[in-house]
Amino acid sequence: MDSIFSGKGICPSNIAATQKVRNVKISPNTKQIIYQLVPFYKGPECITSEIWLADTDVAESARRLTHGLFNDRSAVFHPDGNSVIFVSDRQQPGKAKDLYQILLSDVQDGCNPRILGLGRSVQEFELSPDGQHIAYSSVRNSSAELDSCDAKVYRDGIQHSSLGLWVYSFDTGGSRLIDGIDYTYHIESFTWSPDSFELLYRLRKGKEAEFSEREVIVQRVSIAPEYLPVTIGSYPRSPSGSNIWLESGHIVELQNYEPRNSLDARALFVHNIATPRSRLGRTKRSKRLYGDFEDAVRIVDMQTKGYTSENGESGMIAVEVCSDVDTHIDAVYFHRHDSHHTVAVLPLFRTQGEAIWFGAWDVKYAFDSATSKSTIVVSAVLSSGIRNEPPNVWSIRINENIGTRDPPPRPAIPSGDIRWHDVPNLYYPSLSSVRYKLSSHLDWLKRAESVRTEVIHWLVEDGTKLSGIVRSPSSAVNYPLPTVLFIHGGPYRSECFVAVTNDVVFSDYMPYFCNWRELLATAGYLVISPNYRGSQGRGHAFAYAANQGIGAHDWPDCESMVDEVIRRGWADPTRLAVAGWSHGGSLTAWGVTLTKNRFKAAVVGAGASNWEGMVMESGSPELEKAIGQRDPWDCEAYRRNLSPVHRVDGVSTAVLILHGDKDERVPVGQAIGLYRGLQRKATEIGKRGAELVIYPREPHG
């Protein structure tokens, strides 16, 4: 296949051999940055990962901290800044994972990690703010791990979790299982209190994805053995990522704009739990930020411990926000004083023709008491399709210029116990920033043939303004071009500059297994990717449109971009194709069975073709019911037009179907069913053009 792309850097063999840059963390004093370099395509039994270290203010200073012989991952700085803690399978490669510590003072003499010796395999971990303990999740006994041949016992649809929540002490070198937790529930996430005395954790009925759509219980527990857990609230479904517990007495998390909705924009929720009887949940003491016209994507604690104003206690988080085809990072400041609570927002960083790749970013604040000056560092993996820049680690140091009291822009904050109020000088400064490129990975992409990338906007029939990204060969002069409609997944992701998961289409510059945009553009195609209704970046109303069901807005919006580029004279209407992965694959199947012959070719990657079957077999039945707006045990009248398999008759598009045989999100039967339907009901051309490829051992993505 590489011969098709002869002489060009973007080819299947180069893509298969590439690496991804991820998990960026900044040191407490903001002077150093660590991150991971991971091969994109290795099986879980042989995956390896390198940890790299860079100096924040020195360009091209990244160097290896570990050498990639093992799976060294999830590296974080110890709160004292003198060492790095990470998970590795060094003792049993591909199997058990223990915690290791590297003293940064020893790095010059070679990497010599010290094993902490927990005696059990670590799933997730988090260091306490005071650096004295590590909370981690692990199976409670080795026999609890099921052999692949063992039967899985379900009760009420639940395969009971075997995870326990443990606390390791640096002083004693020992671990203790937290007592009193109902371990028949699955521990979804956990976080420390600011004083390091308590843990906040979330429990759900089972570890499978479907239980993320059911009630989640929130509890707090002291790490002292004489205390039992206390339930402080619940969520109707799982929030996105972990909670953050701030010194200001607030707990924050990302939830859907209306938390009960499976399909909705994401917003930041703020809960005041400063009083003993405080509870989480949608109460008058809880507030929502973002989500009206732009979407909160990810949050991190800026770790402002040690900064407490004279008039109360404070905390800061950083929020990644997607706004149509751009993204920005804000610092959100919380201040508690007597009966009122203050929220203020300071914009820190905005993309400029680039993407933050796969949520790989961090923000830290530091205050120098000797000079009474502050600094904030943003570090992110940035990539630009417009400038043909592959993903690399960048740092942006934001320094305070004392003497300016102009307040930053204020978002719409609800009235109530959280309100605008005077905040310390730190948050009304004049800011200056310095930017450094710290790494030079994936240089083969920099040398590859460039791709022209641009954003366009257009109106659909009902007056809604849509956006999308167009990629084309940089040398293209003979328009119109053969055109591929490449549809992002989700549906709640977006064709935007911010990269979150493989369900996102954005103006980055990184081809991978389910992103063939650059590959196709360098082969001479115009590649178009719309931000259809149901996607991320336009707030609640735009995202909630997905609840009207597949085909109501999403496919018409996608097809409208095809019409727009034909109208502009860029696309050849006689040479059209459509492709996508996950929900993009589902929409591809929907489109070719609806249009029959508009597209000459299609690629359905890990897509759904029968929504009844998805509700019955998928790992996320509630989500699939929300997308299809029906379930198979309610009625029969809708079935004719609900799914692509119901209208394969008359299809003449050549359809290539790709699927992993271990896909739990979209079971492989969805691919087999579509292929069988095309072989039996499509036109003779459609039958000859249908092909199914199933990849052994491969999951959804």
Side-chain angles (χ1 to χ4, degrees):
M1 185 175 178
D2 281 355
S3 60
I4 301 174
F5 306 93
S6 176
K8 300 174 183 178
I10 301 178
C11 61
S13 59
N14 277 344
I15 295 171
T18 198
Q19 297 169 305
K20 52 187 171 183
V21 189
R22 57 186 296 183
N23 197 37
V24 175
K25 301 293 180 184
I26 304 170
S27 64
N29 64 6
T30 73
K31 294 182 179 180
Q32 291 183 306
I33 292 165
I34 52 175
Y35 62 93
Q36 287 175 232
L37 192 65
V38 186
F40 229 129
Y41 304 105
K42 277 193 175 182
E45 71 285 348
C46 58
I47 192 169
T48 59
S49 177
E50 303 169 5
I51 300 173
W52 285 60
L53 177 71
D55 299 318
T56 303
D57 303 307
V58 181
E60 303 294 345
S61 61
R63 64 270 190 195
R64 284 188 184 90
L65 193 58
T66 66
H67 294 287
L69 300 177
F70 307 98
N71 185 11
D72 301 333
R73 64 173 179 86
S74 304
V76 297
F77 286 97
H78 189 277
D80 65 13
N82 295 325
S83 64
V84 171
I85 309 293
F86 63 97
V87 177
S88 181
D89 60 356
R90 289 166 176 254
Q91 284 200 319
Q92 299 182 56
K95 296 182 181 179
K97 303 173 183 66
D98 210 315
L99 288 176
Y100 290 77
Q101 183 177 30
I102 298 176
L103 296 177
L104 294 176
S105 59
D106 296 340
V107 169
Q108 298 300 325
D109 301 323
C111 175
N112 218 0
R114 175 180 76 93
I115 187 172
L116 298 188
L118 304 181
R120 58 191 70 254
S121 188
V122 175
Q123 304 291 316
E124 304 292 338
F125 75 97
E126 185 170 337
L127 275 77
S128 61
D130 65 6
Q132 298 299 307
H133 298 90
I134 302 176
Y136 65 95
S137 57
S138 175
V139 293
R140 284 172 289 145
N141 55 70
S142 58
S143 62
E145 295 190 82
L146 293 174
D147 184 86
S148 60
C149 297
D150 289 340
K152 297 179 180 179
V153 179
Y154 287 76
R155 294 184 180 90
D156 300 324
I158 302 169
Q159 181 186 348
H160 288 287
S161 174
S162 60
L163 283 184
L165 182 57
W166 304 74
V167 174
Y168 169 86
S169 168
F170 280 98
D171 287 340
T172 67
S175 295
R176 183 180 69 84
L177 179 69
I178 298 294
D179 294 324
I181 297 176
D182 185 352
Y183 287 118
T184 62
Y185 282 74
H186 174 65
I187 299 172
E188 178 178 88
S189 71
F190 52 91
T191 192
W192 284 96
S193 63
D195 60 12
S196 300
F197 294 158
E198 292 183 88
L199 287 166
L200 181 85
Y201 57 92
R202 303 200 304 250
L203 301 172
R204 70 188 196 210
K205 279 286 188 180
K207 64 181 181 180
E208 292 77 16
E210 67 176 286
F211 296 102
S212 66
E213 296 292 334
R214 302 188 189 180
E215 184 184 41
V216 176
I217 298 169
V218 187
Q219 295 183 334
R220 60 192 291 182
V221 64
S222 170
I223 62 171
E226 62 268 22
Y227 292 94
L228 293 175
V230 175
T231 299
I232 63 169
S234 64
Y235 301 113
R237 56 189 302 280
S238 295
S240 175
S242 298
N243 299 78
I244 296 177
W245 192 342
L246 297 167
E247 284 188 285
S248 58
H250 297 97
I251 287 177
V252 298
E253 80 280 330
L254 296 180
Q255 297 185 63
N256 282 358
Y257 186 87
E258 293 294 343
R260 293 188 178 277
N261 294 340
S262 294
L263 299 170
D264 208 336
R266 196 168 293 146
L268 174 66
F269 284 77
V270 183
H271 314 275
N272 171 22
I273 63 160
T275 59
R277 295 180 178 273
S278 298
R279 294 177 63 85
L280 297 185
R282 288 301 307 276
T283 69
K284 65 180 181 179
R285 300 181 68 82
S286 300
K287 301 299 176 185
R288 179 177 59 206
L289 284 73
Y290 304 104
D292 291 301
F293 305 106
E294 54 186 8
D295 301 11
V297 177
R298 182 172 174 261
I299 56 175
V300 301
D301 189 351
M302 292 177 64
Q303 295 185 349
T304 55
K305 186 173 177 60
Y307 181 80
T308 301
S309 73
E310 297 177 358
N311 298 316
E313 295 180 317
S314 306
M316 268 200 296
I317 64 169
V319 185
E320 180 182 4
V321 184
C322 181
S323 180
D324 195 21
V325 293
D326 290 304
T327 187
H328 59 274
I329 295 175
D330 293 339
V332 182
Y333 165 81
F334 301 89
H335 179 73
R336 175 166 58 89
H337 175 65
D338 296 334
S339 61
H340 65 260
H341 295 254
T342 302
V343 176
V345 173
L346 175 65
L348 298 177
F349 171 77
R350 180 176 291 275
T351 55
Q352 297 177 343
E354 61 205 350
I356 299 175
W357 207 64
F358 277 77
W361 62 273
D362 194 16
V363 178
K364 285 292 180 291
Y365 160 83
F367 181 75
D368 187 338
S369 57
T371 62
S372 297
K373 289 189 177 183
S374 61
T375 185
I376 294 173
V377 168
V378 179
S379 182
V381 177
L382 300 177
S383 175
S384 174
I386 291 175
R387 297 189 295 271
N388 292 308
E389 294 177 353
N392 272 296
V393 180
W394 292 74
S395 67
I396 302 95
R397 183 175 292 280
I398 305 168
N399 292 309
E400 174 189 5
N401 294 327
I402 300 295
T404 297
R405 293 281 297 178
D406 295 330
R410 297 180 174 184
I413 302 293
S415 60
D417 66 319
I418 297 177
R419 60 188 176 86
W420 287 106
H421 189 70
D422 266 347
V423 294
N425 287 355
L426 170 64
Y427 303 102
Y428 287 3
S430 169
L431 301 176
S432 62
S433 64
V434 184
R435 179 166 166 158
Y436 302 94
K437 179 175 176 286
L438 303 182
S439 68
S440 291
H441 303 296
L442 305 167
D443 271 354
W444 67 270
L445 267 173
K446 186 72 175 176
R447 296 188 297 268
E449 180 179 333
S450 61
V451 173
R452 182 182 297 138
T453 304
E454 62 181 302
V455 179
I456 68 169
H457 295 85
W458 70 98
L459 297 178
V460 295
E461 288 186 1
D462 64 5
T464 300
K465 185 179 182 180
L466 298 179
S467 61
I469 292 180
V470 178
R471 292 171 177 86
S472 59
S474 59
S475 58
V477 291
N478 297 318
Y479 290 93
L481 296 174
T483 298
V484 180
L485 168 63
F486 201 102
I487 308 172
H488 75 73
Y492 178 66
R493 295 296 177 216
S494 65
E495 172 66 40
C496 66
F497 284 140
V498 54
V500 184
T501 73
N502 64 329
D503 285 335
V504 184
V505 182
F506 44 82
S507 185
D508 80 328
Y509 187 55
M510 182 65 226
Y512 51 100
F513 79 97
C514 61
N515 171 19
W516 318 312
R517 299 170 185 89
E518 292 86 4
L519 186 72
L520 292 167
T522 57
Y525 294 91
L526 185 79
V527 184
I528 61 173
S529 300
N531 194 12
Y532 54 83
R533 274 172 283 189
S535 301
Q536 175 180 280
R538 298 273 293 275
H540 167 63
F542 196 84
Y544 190 72
N547 289 275
Q548 295 187 36
I550 186 170
H553 294 294
D554 42 19
W555 174 254
D557 287 352
C558 290
E559 200 168 10
S560 74
M561 189 174 188
V562 177
D563 297 335
E564 177 65 18
V565 291
I566 290 173
R567 185 189 68 79
R568 296 187 184 203
W570 299 351
D572 184 343
T574 67
R575 294 185 294 169
L576 300 176
V578 57
W581 196 271
S582 190
H583 193 66
S586 304
L587 283 170
T588 299
W590 184 277
V592 297
T593 58
L594 183 69
T595 60
K596 307 298 183 184
N597 60 7
R598 184 177 192 186
F599 299 93
K600 300 299 184 185
V603 182
V604 178
S609 63
N610 182 351
W611 292 100
E612 296 169 304
M614 286 294 287
V615 177
M616 291 189 290
E617 299 180 83
S618 168
S620 305
E622 275 74 26
L623 177 63
E624 306 307 338
K625 179 181 177 181
I627 295 172
Q629 285 297 296
R630 299 288 193 281
D631 61 44
W633 36 80
D634 274 351
C635 65
E636 297 183 1
Y638 67 89
R639 291 182 178 173
R640 175 63 188 167
N641 293 314
L642 175 63
S643 301
V645 293
H646 299 143
R647 50 168 188 261
V648 291
D649 55 301
V651 170
S652 61
T653 300
V655 181
L656 172 61
I657 306 166
L658 308 176
H659 221 101
D661 76 341
K662 299 299 182 184
D663 191 335
E664 294 185 359
R665 178 68 181 271
V666 182
V668 69
Q670 294 286 317
I672 296 171
L674 178 60
Y675 176 72
R676 287 175 174 173
L678 290 168
Q679 286 293 310
R680 287 159 175 78
K681 294 292 186 179
T683 65
E684 288 303 314
I685 294 175
K687 290 176 182 178
R688 291 196 301 271
E691 186 172 351
L692 170 63
V693 180
I694 297 176
Y695 296 93
R697 302 175 301 279
E698 290 298 324
H700 188 63

